[in-house]
Amino acid sequence: MFCTSGPAELLAYNNLVVLFVFHTFGHQDLIHDLQRVNRVFTKHSHTSYLPEKQLLAKRLAQCLTSSLPSGVHLKAIETYRVVFARIGTARLALDLPLYAGGLFPLLSYSATTLKPAVLSLYEATLLPLGPYLVPYL
């Protein structure tokens, strides 16, 4: 579904999300950038439109690499929650290949304190997909 806002608001929304997607960051800036993306998605919660969803998924997966601290992982999980709530279960079933590459390996190397958040995300957003999960198992 496309954004129902005016062209100026849509352009601002696209620019804010694309800033995160194309921004080259060090791990110290990641938490701040993820918080900014969460605020943008919250502010524009009236639409399920995600600009540059492939690149957004790629950046979120990069935020979950094992070399980054668990604080970045936790903020990325929060962003995944916001994205999944925004697009809904039906769209997530179609877009799961975009997000699976970052999410599924995370549990194997995440910190012990992070595992409950990861399992909660799996339970709340992925288990309702039911039979749509079978190809990814």
Side-chain angles (χ1 to χ4, degrees):
M1 178 164 34
F2 290 100
C3 187
T4 57
S5 304
E9 186 177 341
L10 179 60
L11 182 62
Y13 173 61
N14 282 341
N15 288 342
L16 288 170
V17 174
V18 169
L19 178 67
F20 167 71
V21 169
F22 291 110
H23 187 248
T24 304
F25 18 54
H27 75 273
Q28 63 274 18
D29 297 330
L30 283 172
I31 292 175
H32 174 71
D33 290 338
L34 288 166
Q35 288 172 335
R36 187 169 18 162
V37 168
N38 288 344
R39 280 194 307 267
V40 168
F41 285 154
T42 303
K43 180 180 177 188
H44 297 278
S45 61
H46 57 278
T47 180
S48 63
Y49 170 68
L50 284 178
E52 302 290 345
K53 68 180 177 182
Q54 292 88 358
L55 291 172
L56 177 66
K58 176 183 169 183
R59 287 292 186 210
L60 286 173
Q62 289 172 341
C63 290
L64 296 178
T65 60
S66 60
S67 62
L68 292 173
S70 61
V72 175
H73 294 167
L74 186 59
K75 200 45 85 170
I77 288 171
E78 289 175 19
T79 305
Y80 274 110
R81 278 189 191 279
V82 170
V83 168
F84 293 167
R86 170 184 218 88
I87 64 175
T89 305
R91 188 77 215 165
L92 179 58
L94 296 172
D95 290 345
L96 191 57
L98 294 174
Y99 303 108
L103 279 178
F104 288 162
L106 177 62
L107 193 60
S108 67
Y109 57 79
S110 63
T112 305
T113 57
L114 190 65
K115 289 187 190 280
V118 175
L119 291 172
S120 172
L121 177 71
Y122 289 173
E123 182 179 17
T125 60
L126 299 179
L127 287 182
L129 296 178
Y132 295 108
L133 271 179
V134 172
Y136 306 105
L137 299 177

